[in-house]
Amino acid sequence: MEKDGRPSWDSPTQFVLACVSYAVGLGNVWRFPYLCQMHGGGGFLIPYLIMLCLEGVPLFYMELAIGQKMRLGSIGAWSAISPYLGGVGLASVVTSLYLCLYYNILNAWSFWYLFHSFQPVLPWAECPLNSNLTAPIEECEKATPTQYFFYRETLNISPSIEENGGIHTGQALCFLLTWVLTYLCIVRGVQSTGKVVYFTATFPYVVLFIYLIRGFTLHGAVNGVKYMFTPKMEELANPNAWINAATQIFFSLGLGFGSLIAFASYNQYNNNFQRQAITVSLINSGTSVFASIVTFAIYGFKATVNYESCLERTRILLLNTFELAEDRITIDSVFEWVEKLNATYPQQFSEIADQLENCNLENELDTAVEGTGLAFIVYSEAIKNMPVSQLWSVLYFVMLLLLGVGSMLGNITAIITPLRDFKVVSRMSNEVFNGLVCVFCLLLGLGFTTTSGNYWFTMFNDYGATFSLLFIVLIEVITVSYIYGIKRFEKDIEDMLGHRPNWYWKIMWTVVSPLLLIIIFIFYIVTYIQGGTPTYQAWDKEQGKSVVTNYPVFGQVFIGLLLVSSVSCVPLTALYVFCRKRKQGKHHKQENSLNAVSF
Amino acid sequence: MLDKILFLLCLAAALADQRCMPGAPQGFHVRLSIKTALGDEAYVWNENEMFLFRASLAFAMRNHMGGQQFEVSNIIVCNETERVSFWFVVTSPLDTSQLIDQENVEVAVRKSRNRINGAFLLNDKTLEFIGILPTLAAPFIPATPPWLIAFGVVMGAVGAGIIIMLVSSVVQRKRKANEKTRDEDNDEETRVKTVENGAARDGVYNMSFSEDERFTEM
């Protein structure tokens, strides 16, 4: 404990591991590989690393400095920096609250898949049979077994966001479990969190390493890795690649939520956070690249398996139609036989022409997926084809769980720390207050376990945090550089570290990062406006695939509310403080004049 | 004489063949994928294997239509291809010009499917009777879904962890509170002792220093 009674980390290692555990999350696994694929493979690393240096590390450094100096949560810290800008902290807390509400659903799904891995046959490996036991269920036939398991058995998804069934009990149970687990990890605040992060920060790397070895020994994995790493340099000319790199760095490091400020506020005053900031950012980016190598090995395996089963199906079709002996056509000679038979028996061939699939390895590799689709559908499809698939399934979902819980610890600390700075709350014991926050988030989050819950989840994921965070961090960096003053900030850092930050940091904070953020901000606004009505992917039961649907009116209103509610905290708080100061000012003037009169 | 018998036999054979042809209304198309099923251990498909097939089909018919003595000669096979696929029809043992209808043959095959498969070391997928869908195995549904068991274990562990943490914090707080009151008690005791010692040494009660406000209130 510090002399001012504020709890603190047992050692700087715990702080670094907590930051790593928070920053390395599901986005490193399911967003970065997608971006790599979209923007020319290995070439994407160039804009990514440049943005890391220009924007990622300086902003990360800045947030840690603020937290360690002010030794308060985000609301208190920003109020101390400038009384009118306490709203920035409040906006961070509101955004973190939205994140906490929906993020734990991902952990619930990981638990669900994990528990279902303890079966002799993985439930997403085969289609279940219909009630007559004559054929697989129709919806499963049209889609794939993995998609069926995700959309029907895990989510029991409704056809659109407007239709709602009840709560999915299995989901709700897993959701309850994730909140109970989260509570266990934060029950005594930093004392508990500090011990948990030793595990949540390190074990995912063990699993990733095991998967790296497994992935590279899989049949066809090299195809995927080659595909990813062949750089397509012409993609660098596309501004989208640079914008996406900047956005990915920004969200991957978890800036603007207030978690970094909260974590740093528990540090010793003279902790060397400069080195730690650089270390954590590099670890985070390194993990992204590492995870995408593994993902592409898995992609390559899955694409090769699909391609070869497509070839096998074509081979059997040809054998059966033309009554040839089984060993006349091998998998390698399928294509030449297709041409031969087309030439010799054109009429018979045209009869089966519509059953012939176009088997193409490139097309299979091209199917770029991100988000929950990658994590829960594509990966589980690859896992079911591996030998001893239960083991790999368990390992994978434990890793997803740890990544998710690690990030969740940061998210919930971002809410608890600023609120504990208020006197009303600090009188309550740690355990009771943390329990109240968890119960509150649990009850509100149960809405995501309903049949339309996945659509609400997507809405929160796409709109709840993205725009507001850009706004928050932009205000943060402008405040620190210009309103608080870069010279004062320098002095504070010198006070803590013993030396001033060099010219590189100062240029980044004052010029480069704000400029980059404004560019991304404008880009987002333009995309929103150009995009027209916001849309989402609804699962169509009849067709067995996702269809693009417009959000209904209440959905769009809700999106607007999400955006406005966090962004408006900043001007509203400024107004409130301004009015209060004016009232106090008047009050003081009255008192002074009274004193003068009552002499 | 011999010519006539030969001619009649050929006629009979020709007539029989006409009833067995691709697309025959009472016939079935069979397809075997031996190399796919057995790989290197695949046996060569020859007349003996065909004889075995016809015998096992006769066995299936005998099992289903109890009483009728089906023989190998009642199973007529035609249109063999190198794929190892062919058509067959079944004639009635009582009257070789009559064909057994499709439904009966289908039920007979369904009943003895496993035995037929076993004779050829094949399964439903590699020994196909086109048109006869295999009855898929009923999935094994355990009494408690296995995922609930795993869930219960984890939930129990986490719940126990929380209870331990909460109880230990309460115990810690009580211990701290006890220590504080014990310290205060120690202080009080020492103070009380000194007072007592002082009072024990007093001698005669001196009236002049007593409070007499009771009497002189003005």
Side-chain angles (χ1 to χ4, degrees):
Chain A
M1 296 275 266
E2 279 283 302
K3 27 192 170 97
D4 58 0
R6 191 177 183 75
S8 71
W9 303 104
D10 288 341
S11 70
T13 326
Q14 276 190 2
F15 169 64
V16 172
L17 286 179
C19 287
V20 167
S21 179
Y22 166 66
V24 173
L26 294 165
N28 298 64
V29 172
W30 74 31
R31 175 82 179 152
F32 185 78
Y34 170 76
L35 288 177
C36 250
Q37 196 169 12
M38 296 297 296
H39 295 293
F44 184 70
L45 287 176
I46 298 179
Y48 186 71
L49 290 173
I50 292 181
M51 289 300 170
L52 177 67
C53 299
L54 292 183
E55 175 206 357
V57 186
L59 291 175
F60 197 85
Y61 185 149
M62 182 188 79
E63 289 216 0
L64 289 188
I66 292 170
Q68 194 166 306
K69 169 74 186 168
M70 302 299 168
R71 305 179 58 72
L72 291 170
S74 52
I75 301 183
W78 290 106
S79 307
I81 288 185
S82 156
Y84 292 103
L85 288 173
V88 172
L90 191 58
S92 290
V93 172
V94 171
T95 314
S96 288
L97 181 66
Y98 292 152
L99 188 70
C100 278
L101 286 179
Y102 79 79
Y103 200 81
N104 244 348
I105 267 287
L106 292 167
N107 293 332
W109 295 342
S110 299
F111 263 125
W112 173 268
Y113 270 82
L114 176 65
F115 294 148
H116 276 84
S117 307
F118 293 104
Q119 285 175 25
V121 175
L122 291 177
W124 56 85
E126 296 172 340
C127 275
L129 302 174
N130 61 20
S131 39
N132 297 351
L133 294 185
T134 50
I137 295 185
E138 210 184 302
E139 190 182 349
C140 192
E141 280 278 280
K142 298 227 176 81
T144 61
T146 36
Q147 281 179 320
Y148 177 78
F149 183 75
F150 183 63
Y151 288 111
R152 188 54 49 213
E153 299 203 15
T154 310
L155 302 176
N156 196 14
I157 206 164
S158 62
S160 76
I161 199 171
E162 292 142 18
E163 297 162 48
N164 200 347
I167 294 185
H168 185 300
T169 359
Q171 277 297 292
L173 283 177
C174 290
F175 190 60
L176 173 67
L177 176 58
T178 47
W179 272 112
V180 171
L181 180 65
T182 312
Y183 179 57
L184 176 64
C185 295
I186 56 159
V187 65
R188 284 209 204 136
V190 164
Q191 305 298 325
S192 345
T193 313
K195 308 235 172 19
V196 171
V197 292
Y198 279 114
F199 188 60
T200 61
T202 52
F203 193 69
Y205 288 100
V206 174
V207 177
L208 272 177
F209 186 68
I210 296 176
Y211 255 92
L212 184 72
I213 301 183
R214 167 78 275 200
F216 270 99
T217 52
L218 284 173
H219 170 59
V222 187
N223 292 338
V225 180
K226 243 195 303 185
Y227 181 79
M228 172 195 164
F229 277 110
T230 359
K232 301 190 191 78
M233 285 304 182
E234 56 274 12
E235 274 289 337
L236 290 185
N238 180 4
N240 265 330
W242 295 86
I243 300 273
N244 278 338
T247 322
Q248 172 61 11
I249 283 282
F250 181 81
F251 290 125
S252 178
L253 286 173
L255 304 165
F257 283 107
S259 313
L260 296 171
I261 298 182
F263 279 154
S265 70
Y266 296 115
N267 273 341
Q268 307 286 329
Y269 191 68
N270 294 321
N271 177 43
N272 184 0
F273 62 89
Q274 176 167 324
R275 210 168 30 175
Q276 291 167 343
I278 300 177
T279 314
V280 173
S281 314
L282 285 177
I283 291 180
N284 181 51
S285 301
T287 312
S288 291
V289 177
F290 185 34
S292 56
I293 297 178
V294 176
T295 306
F296 274 90
I298 304 275
Y299 261 161
F301 167 66
K302 173 178 124 31
T304 310
V305 165
N306 284 352
Y307 173 66
E308 288 183 354
S309 18
C310 177
L311 282 181
E312 179 68 17
R313 286 193 297 272
T314 313
R315 185 185 86 105
I316 296 208
L317 180 64
L318 289 177
L319 282 180
N320 290 350
T321 319
F322 294 98
E323 306 287 2
L324 302 161
E326 282 173 275
D327 47 2
R328 292 276 295 272
I329 308 183
T330 60
I331 282 212
D332 307 314
S333 56
V334 169
F335 287 124
E336 27 173 299
W337 271 98
V338 166
E339 289 178 18
K340 217 196 294 185
L341 290 168
N342 197 5
T344 25
Y345 303 98
Q347 202 184 20
Q348 248 184 324
F349 198 83
S350 56
E351 279 168 28
I352 56 159
D354 55 344
Q355 287 176 39
L356 269 181
E357 305 164 48
N358 194 358
C359 300
N360 189 335
L361 185 60
E362 281 274 318
N363 283 353
E364 294 281 346
L365 285 171
D366 256 340
T367 47
V369 190
E370 60 160 337
T372 51
L374 170 60
F376 294 104
I377 298 180
V378 172
Y379 254 97
S380 35
E381 198 171 310
I383 288 175
K384 79 171 192 223
N385 290 325
M386 296 182 196
V388 198
S389 39
Q390 287 83 357
L391 169 68
W392 301 108
S393 181
V394 167
L395 264 183
Y396 173 67
F397 288 110
V398 166
M399 177 186 81
L400 277 193
L401 200 56
L402 288 176
L403 289 175
V405 168
S407 302
M408 197 61 197
L409 295 180
N411 295 335
I412 206 136
T413 313
I415 302 180
I416 290 180
T417 310
L419 291 181
R420 279 205 79 84
D421 295 332
F422 290 106
K423 290 211 198 69
V424 181
V425 174
S426 58
R427 263 184 248 132
M428 274 194 260
S429 76
N430 247 341
E431 290 85 355
V432 171
F433 180 60
N434 295 347
L436 282 178
V437 172
C438 287
V439 169
F440 178 71
C441 291
L442 169 68
L443 291 176
L444 283 186
L446 275 179
F448 293 110
T449 57
T450 58
T451 55
S452 55
N454 188 41
Y455 301 128
W456 289 100
F457 166 81
T458 317
M459 182 199 285
F460 268 76
N461 195 21
D462 291 340
Y463 300 103
T466 44
F467 190 77
S468 358
L469 279 183
L470 285 169
F471 181 72
I472 291 173
V473 178
L474 183 59
I475 303 273
E476 281 186 8
V477 78
I478 292 180
T479 307
V480 167
S481 304
Y482 299 108
I483 301 182
Y484 187 65
I486 197 77
K487 292 220 186 315
R488 262 171 87 185
F489 192 55
E490 258 188 308
K491 276 207 203 103
D492 289 336
I493 295 182
E494 192 183 16
D495 205 23
M496 289 191 280
L497 292 180
H499 63 86
R500 290 185 177 228
N502 65 30
W503 57 268
Y504 174 77
W505 302 110
K506 286 191 275 195
I507 295 186
M508 293 301 133
W509 289 325
T510 46
V511 176
V512 179
S513 299
L515 204 61
L516 269 175
L517 285 173
I518 291 179
I519 295 177
I520 304 179
F521 200 66
I522 294 180
F523 174 79
Y524 256 84
I525 297 183
V526 166
T527 320
Y528 275 159
I529 298 178
Q530 275 187 344
T533 337
T535 58
Y536 67 102
Q537 301 266 6
W539 175 255
D540 186 344
K541 196 167 152 172
E542 317 296 321
Q543 295 182 42
K545 61 189 184 94
S546 299
V547 197
V548 175
T549 329
N550 282 345
Y551 274 115
V553 176
F554 73 83
Q556 296 178 37
V557 167
F558 199 80
I559 293 177
L561 266 180
L562 275 179
L563 294 174
V564 164
S565 57
S566 43
V567 164
S568 61
C569 286
V570 180
L572 285 180
T573 318
L575 200 63
Y576 171 73
V577 169
F578 180 66
C579 291
R580 236 187 35 187
K581 284 216 163 156
R582 254 204 354 205
K583 256 194 232 159
Q584 277 184 352
K586 272 196 208 145
H587 196 66
H588 276 155
K589 271 200 207 138
Q590 280 180 351
E591 278 189 4
N592 285 340
S593 51
L594 274 174
N595 282 341
V597 165
S598 64
F599 198 93
Chain B
M1 184 62 189
L2 269 170
D3 299 328
K4 277 196 195 143
I5 297 174
L6 217 57
F7 177 68
L8 277 171
L9 277 172
C10 287
L11 196 59
L15 277 173
D17 278 353
Q18 270 182 357
R19 289 174 301 176
C20 169
M21 54 183 188
Q26 311 294 358
F28 279 99
H29 188 187
V30 179
R31 193 185 292 142
L32 287 95
S33 312
I34 308 173
K35 294 218 177 62
T36 317
L38 302 170
D40 286 334
E41 320 245 314
Y43 47 82
V44 178
W45 185 261
N46 54 26
E47 277 177 30
N48 298 338
E49 306 284 347
M50 182 54 91
F51 181 79
L52 178 57
F53 180 81
R54 292 166 70 200
S56 42
L57 258 185
F59 161 77
M61 294 306 300
R62 282 198 189 192
N63 265 350
H64 172 55
M65 304 181 86
Q68 300 196 40
Q69 301 281 58
F70 284 88
E71 297 291 341
V72 176
S73 48
N74 292 120
I75 316 290
I76 305 173
V77 167
C78 56
N79 237 59
E80 257 190 83
T81 65
E82 66 170 9
R83 172 72 177 81
V84 193
S85 71
F86 47 84
W87 284 79
F88 73 90
V89 289
V90 184
T91 60
S92 164
L94 306 165
D95 177 9
T96 45
S97 56
Q98 279 268 0
L99 290 179
I100 307 284
D101 55 298
Q102 236 185 11
E103 289 83 41
N104 270 321
V105 179
E106 181 171 335
V107 179
V109 167
R110 269 230 176 94
K111 272 191 187 168
S112 313
R113 190 66 184 266
N114 278 344
R115 301 295 296 274
I116 304 177
N117 285 350
F120 291 94
L121 309 173
L122 299 173
N123 58 32
D124 281 348
K125 281 215 185 102
T126 40
L127 173 55
E128 298 167 72
F129 286 83
I130 315 279
I132 303 182
L133 295 170
T135 32
L136 303 155
F140 168 66
I141 304 177
T144 16
W147 78 267
L148 262 184
I149 302 176
F151 168 80
V153 169
V154 177
M155 181 64 115
V158 175
I162 290 186
I163 294 180
I164 294 175
M165 295 286 266
L166 290 179
V167 164
S168 67
S169 340
V170 169
V171 163
Q172 254 185 16
R173 218 170 280 143
K174 271 211 188 123
R175 214 182 289 153
K176 263 196 208 148
N178 275 348
E179 278 180 13
K180 254 199 219 152
T181 46
R182 218 180 300 141
D183 285 340
E184 285 177 8
D185 278 346
N186 281 342
D187 287 341
E188 270 185 31
E189 276 180 17
T190 43
R191 259 185 276 134
V192 162
K193 278 211 183 85
T194 44
V195 167
E196 276 184 1
N197 281 339
R201 293 284 171 266
D202 258 352
V204 181
Y205 189 56
N206 197 335
M207 284 286 284
S208 54
F209 289 106
S210 64
E211 290 183 62
D212 53 357
E213 283 170 15
R214 277 179 288 150
F215 307 113
T216 52
E217 282 206 285
M218 283 285 220

